Protein backbone atom coordinates (compact mmCIF):
# COMPACT_ATOMS: atom_id res chain seq x y z
CA UNK A 1 0.00 0.00 0.00
CA UNK A 2 1.37 3.40 -0.96
CA UNK A 3 1.97 6.03 1.71
CA UNK A 4 -0.51 8.82 2.25
CA UNK A 5 0.71 12.37 1.77
CA UNK A 6 0.47 12.98 5.52
CA UNK A 7 2.59 9.89 6.21
CA UNK A 8 5.22 11.02 3.71
CA UNK A 9 5.40 14.46 5.32
CA UNK A 10 5.78 12.99 8.81
CA UNK A 11 8.39 10.45 7.68
CA UNK A 12 10.52 13.03 5.85
CA UNK A 13 10.36 15.44 8.79
CA UNK A 14 11.62 12.65 11.03
CA UNK A 15 14.37 11.60 8.60
CA UNK A 16 15.61 15.16 8.09
CA UNK A 17 15.11 16.14 11.74
CA UNK A 18 12.81 19.00 10.73
CA UNK A 19 10.34 20.33 13.27
CA UNK A 20 6.94 21.83 12.67
CA UNK A 21 8.17 25.25 13.75
CA UNK A 22 10.88 25.11 11.06
CA UNK A 23 8.22 24.66 8.38
CA UNK A 24 6.07 27.41 9.91
CA UNK A 25 8.89 29.93 9.80
CA UNK A 26 10.20 29.04 6.36
CA UNK A 27 6.77 29.01 4.70
CA UNK A 28 5.09 31.66 6.85
CA UNK A 29 2.20 29.39 7.83
CA UNK A 30 0.47 28.64 11.14
CA UNK A 31 1.22 25.71 13.43
CA UNK A 32 -2.38 24.57 12.91
CA UNK A 33 -1.91 24.26 9.16
CA UNK A 34 1.28 22.22 9.56
CA UNK A 35 -0.58 19.95 12.02
CA UNK A 36 -3.38 19.46 9.48
CA UNK A 37 -0.87 18.46 6.81
CA UNK A 38 0.71 15.94 9.15
CA UNK A 39 -2.60 14.49 10.32
CA UNK A 40 -4.10 14.29 6.84
CA UNK A 41 -7.02 16.59 7.62
CA UNK A 42 -5.79 18.87 4.83
CA UNK A 43 -3.33 18.48 1.96
CA UNK A 44 -0.78 21.13 0.98
CA UNK A 45 -1.94 23.30 -1.91
CA UNK A 46 -0.78 26.14 -4.14
CA UNK A 47 2.66 27.60 -3.43
CA UNK A 48 2.84 25.58 -0.22
CA UNK A 49 3.35 22.39 -2.25
CA UNK A 50 6.55 23.69 -3.80
CA UNK A 51 7.88 25.28 -0.62
CA UNK A 52 7.22 22.12 1.39
CA UNK A 53 8.75 19.98 -1.35
CA UNK A 54 11.95 22.02 -1.17
CA UNK A 55 12.16 21.71 2.60
CA UNK A 56 11.49 17.95 2.59
CA UNK A 57 13.57 17.21 -0.56
CA UNK A 58 10.58 15.76 -2.40
CA UNK A 59 9.15 15.87 -5.89
CA UNK A 60 6.14 18.24 -5.67
CA UNK A 61 3.98 15.62 -7.41
CA UNK A 62 4.28 13.41 -4.34
CA UNK A 63 2.65 16.11 -2.21
CA UNK A 64 -0.18 16.35 -4.73
CA UNK A 65 -0.98 12.72 -3.96
CA UNK A 66 0.36 11.53 -7.31
CA UNK A 67 3.00 8.92 -8.00
CA UNK A 68 6.59 10.16 -7.83
CA UNK A 69 7.95 11.08 -11.26
CA UNK A 70 11.42 9.77 -10.50
CA UNK A 71 12.91 13.21 -11.11
CA UNK A 72 14.93 14.98 -8.47
CA UNK A 73 13.47 18.24 -7.24
CA UNK A 74 16.19 20.15 -9.03
CA UNK A 75 15.07 18.65 -12.35
CA UNK A 76 11.45 19.73 -11.98
CA UNK A 77 10.59 22.81 -14.04
CA UNK A 78 8.84 24.97 -11.44
CA UNK A 79 8.74 28.09 -13.61
CA UNK A 80 5.75 26.86 -15.62
CA UNK A 81 3.64 25.92 -12.59
CA UNK A 82 3.57 28.95 -10.30
CA UNK A 83 4.72 32.58 -10.64
CA UNK A 84 8.34 32.69 -9.54
CA UNK A 85 10.94 35.41 -9.22
CA UNK A 86 14.31 34.77 -10.82
CA UNK A 87 17.06 36.22 -8.64
CA UNK A 88 20.87 36.21 -8.84
CA UNK A 89 22.79 34.31 -6.18
CA UNK A 90 25.63 36.62 -5.23
CA UNK A 91 28.63 36.51 -2.89
CA UNK A 92 28.92 38.09 0.55
CA UNK A 93 31.38 40.59 -0.95
CA UNK A 94 28.89 41.56 -3.67
CA UNK A 95 26.14 41.84 -1.06
CA UNK A 96 28.13 44.48 0.79
CA UNK A 97 28.25 46.61 -2.36
CA UNK A 98 24.82 45.65 -3.70
CA UNK A 99 23.26 49.11 -3.73
CA UNK A 100 26.17 50.38 -5.82
CA UNK A 101 26.28 47.53 -8.36
CA UNK A 102 22.63 46.52 -8.72
CA UNK A 103 21.85 48.95 -11.56
CA UNK A 104 24.69 47.50 -13.60
CA UNK A 105 23.85 43.89 -12.75
CA UNK A 106 22.51 41.93 -15.72
CA UNK A 107 21.83 38.29 -16.65
CA UNK A 108 25.19 36.61 -17.06
CA UNK A 109 26.80 38.54 -14.20
CA UNK A 110 25.87 35.82 -11.71
CA UNK A 111 27.19 32.27 -11.82
CA UNK A 112 23.95 31.04 -10.25
CA UNK A 113 20.32 32.10 -10.38
CA UNK A 114 17.45 30.90 -8.23
CA UNK A 115 13.68 30.71 -8.64
CA UNK A 116 11.68 31.68 -5.56
CA UNK A 117 8.00 32.16 -4.81
CA UNK A 118 8.85 34.73 -2.12
CA UNK A 119 7.12 38.07 -2.67
CA UNK A 120 10.08 40.43 -2.88
CA UNK A 121 11.17 43.62 -4.63
CA UNK A 122 13.03 43.70 -7.94
CA UNK A 123 16.27 44.53 -6.13
CA UNK A 124 16.28 41.28 -4.16
CA UNK A 125 18.92 38.58 -4.39
CA UNK A 126 19.89 35.14 -3.14
CA UNK A 127 22.84 34.58 -0.82
CA UNK A 128 24.35 31.19 -0.06
CA UNK A 129 25.09 30.61 3.62
CA UNK A 130 28.80 29.83 4.03
CA UNK A 131 29.11 28.67 7.64
CA UNK A 132 27.04 27.24 10.49
CA UNK A 133 26.74 30.45 12.56
CA UNK A 134 23.00 30.57 11.85
CA UNK A 135 22.35 26.87 12.43
CA UNK A 136 20.44 26.50 15.68
CA UNK A 137 21.27 23.16 17.39
CA UNK A 138 18.30 23.51 19.76
CA UNK A 139 15.48 23.64 17.20
CA UNK A 140 13.36 26.57 16.12
CA UNK A 141 14.53 28.89 13.38
CA UNK A 142 17.71 27.53 11.84
CA UNK A 143 19.55 28.39 8.63
CA UNK A 144 22.01 25.63 7.71
CA UNK A 145 25.26 26.05 5.85
CA UNK A 146 24.67 25.74 2.11
CA UNK A 147 21.08 27.03 2.23
CA UNK A 148 20.20 30.08 0.14
CA UNK A 149 18.50 33.02 1.82
CA UNK A 150 16.32 35.38 -0.20
CA UNK A 151 17.22 38.93 0.78
CA UNK A 152 15.13 42.05 0.09
CA UNK A 153 16.95 45.41 0.44
CA UNK A 154 13.64 47.31 0.37
CA UNK A 155 12.31 45.84 3.65
CA UNK A 156 12.78 47.90 6.81
CA UNK A 157 14.49 45.77 9.50
CA UNK A 158 12.98 45.52 12.97
CA UNK A 159 14.04 43.87 16.20
CA UNK A 160 14.35 40.14 15.54
CA UNK A 161 14.79 40.45 11.75
CA UNK A 162 17.31 38.15 10.09
CA UNK A 163 19.50 40.58 8.20
CA UNK A 164 22.50 40.82 5.94
CA UNK A 165 24.71 43.56 7.39
CA UNK A 166 28.09 45.10 6.64
CA UNK A 167 30.25 46.78 9.26
CA UNK A 168 32.35 49.78 8.27
CA UNK A 169 35.69 47.99 8.66
CA UNK A 170 34.67 44.88 6.71
CA UNK A 171 34.65 44.15 2.98
CA UNK A 172 32.20 41.29 3.45
CA UNK A 173 28.66 41.19 4.76
CA UNK A 174 27.45 38.93 7.53
CA UNK A 175 24.15 37.08 8.10
CA UNK A 176 22.80 37.53 11.62
CA UNK A 177 19.70 38.23 13.73
CA UNK A 178 19.25 41.92 14.51
CA UNK A 179 18.64 42.56 18.22
CA UNK A 180 17.60 46.05 19.36
CA UNK A 181 17.68 46.72 23.10
CA UNK A 182 16.93 50.37 23.82
CA UNK A 183 19.65 52.38 22.12
CA UNK A 184 21.88 49.30 21.74
CA UNK A 185 21.98 47.11 18.65
CA UNK A 186 23.55 43.70 18.21
CA UNK A 187 24.11 41.13 15.48
CA UNK A 188 23.30 37.77 17.03
CA UNK A 189 24.08 34.34 15.53
CA UNK A 190 21.55 31.56 16.02
CA UNK A 191 24.38 29.16 16.85
CA UNK A 192 25.50 29.82 20.46
CA UNK A 193 29.04 28.70 19.59
CA UNK A 194 29.51 32.06 17.84
CA UNK A 195 29.77 35.40 19.68
CA UNK A 196 27.17 38.16 19.67
CA UNK A 197 28.49 41.24 17.85
CA UNK A 198 27.66 44.61 19.43
CA UNK A 199 27.20 47.24 16.75
CA UNK A 200 29.66 49.83 17.96
CA UNK A 201 30.52 51.34 14.60
CA UNK A 202 28.74 52.31 11.42
CA UNK A 203 26.69 49.37 10.16
CA UNK A 204 24.81 49.11 6.87
CA UNK A 205 21.81 46.79 6.81
CA UNK A 206 21.99 45.46 3.27
CA UNK A 207 18.62 43.71 3.42
CA UNK A 208 16.17 41.54 5.34
CA UNK A 209 15.83 37.80 4.78
CA UNK A 210 12.38 36.93 3.45
CA UNK A 211 12.76 33.21 2.88
CA UNK A 212 15.16 30.29 3.16
CA UNK A 213 15.41 28.09 0.09
CA UNK A 214 16.72 24.58 -0.36
CA UNK A 215 18.74 24.62 -3.59
CA UNK A 216 16.48 25.20 -6.60
CA UNK A 217 19.06 26.76 -8.90
CA UNK A 218 19.20 27.35 -12.64
Amino acid sequence: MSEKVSEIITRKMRELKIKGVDIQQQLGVSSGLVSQWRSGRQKPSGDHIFGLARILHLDPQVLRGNEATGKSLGAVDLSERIPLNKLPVISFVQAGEWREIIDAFAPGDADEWIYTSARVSNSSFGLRVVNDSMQNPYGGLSIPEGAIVIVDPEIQPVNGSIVVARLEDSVESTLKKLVIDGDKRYLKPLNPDYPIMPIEQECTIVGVVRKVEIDVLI
Side-chain angles (χ1 to χ4, degrees), residues 108-202:
D109 290 342
D111 293 329
E112 296 177 319
W113 294 79
I114 188 169
Y115 281 126
T116 177
S117 60
R119 293 178 173 85
V120 291
S121 70
N122 293 333
S123 57
S124 300
F125 58 87
L127 191 65
R128 187 183 294 279
V129 180
V130 295
N131 59 44
D132 64 350
S133 67
M134 293 298 283
Q135 188 163 331
N136 186 348
Y138 302 114
L141 177 61
S142 183
I143 306 176
E145 183 173 9
I148 294 177
V149 291
I150 304 302
V151 183
D152 192 339
E154 305 302 324
I155 299 295
Q156 184 67 33
V158 297
N159 183 40
S161 293
I162 304 299
V163 301
V164 175
R166 180 173 60 82
L167 298 176
E168 183 180 29
D169 62 354
S170 177
V171 296
E172 287 195 5
S173 298
T174 184
L175 176 68
K176 296 290 184 289
K177 180 179 179 179
L178 177 64
V179 176
I180 302 173
D181 184 8
D183 60 351
K184 303 290 186 181
R185 296 193 302 163
Y186 305 87
L187 295 174
K188 181 181 179 180
L190 299 179
N191 187 336
D193 290 340
Y194 289 77
I196 296 175
M197 302 165 57
I199 301 177
E200 298 174 338
Q201 55 184 296
E202 184 177 345

Side-chain angles (χ1 to χ4, degrees), residues 3-207:
E3 288 182 289
K4 297 178 180 179
V5 170
S6 58
E7 294 171 340
I8 294 172
I9 292 172
T10 299
R11 174 173 58 80
K12 291 298 291 184
M13 288 177 65
R14 183 170 59 250
E15 290 175 359
L16 299 172
K17 298 181 179 179
I18 293 172
K19 297 183 178 181
V21 67
D22 301 323
I23 296 175
Q24 290 173 233
Q25 293 171 336
Q26 291 193 42
L27 297 185
V29 298
S30 68
S31 60
L33 184 56
V34 175
S35 296
Q36 288 180 7
W37 291 342
R38 297 185 66 179
S39 67
R41 293 194 299 272
Q42 183 173 331
K43 287 185 179 180
S45 61
D47 289 3
H48 293 152
I49 288 178
F50 297 94
L52 190 58
R54 293 186 186 105
I55 294 170
L56 299 181
H57 300 187
L58 289 168
D59 186 320
Q61 293 299 328
V62 173
L63 296 180
R64 291 183 182 277
N66 300 332
E67 293 295 325
T69 63
K71 297 180 179 179
S72 66
L73 181 58
V76 179
D77 183 4
L78 303 181
S79 62
E80 296 182 358
R81 302 189 182 189
I82 58 174
L84 297 173
N85 294 307
K86 179 183 175 184
L87 304 177
V89 179
I90 65 175
S91 70
F92 274 83
V93 172
Q94 286 175 312
E97 303 173 345
W98 187 242
R99 293 186 184 277
E100 288 73 37
I101 68 175
I102 184 173
D103 290 340
F105 208 81
D109 290 342
D111 293 329
E112 296 177 319
W113 294 79
I114 188 169
Y115 281 126
T116 177
S117 60
R119 293 178 173 85
V120 291
S121 70
N122 293 333
S123 57
S124 300
F125 58 87
L127 191 65
R128 187 183 294 279
V129 180
V130 295
N131 59 44
D132 64 350
S133 67
M134 293 298 283
Q135 188 163 331
N136 186 348
Y138 302 114
L141 177 61
S142 183
I143 306 176
E145 183 173 9
I148 294 177
V149 291
I150 304 302
V151 183
D152 192 339
E154 305 302 324
I155 299 295
Q156 184 67 33
V158 297
N159 183 40
S161 293
I162 304 299
V163 301
V164 175
R166 180 173 60 82
L167 298 176
E168 183 180 29
D169 62 354
S170 177
V171 296
E172 287 195 5
S173 298
T174 184
L175 176 68
K176 296 290 184 289
K177 180 179 179 179
L178 177 64
V179 176
I180 302 173
D181 184 8
D183 60 351
K184 303 290 186 181
R185 296 193 302 163
Y186 305 87
L187 295 174
K188 181 181 179 180
L190 299 179
N191 187 336
D193 290 340
Y194 289 77
I196 296 175
M197 302 165 57
I199 301 177
E200 298 174 338
Q201 55 184 296
E202 184 177 345
C203 175
T204 300
I205 302 297
V206 178

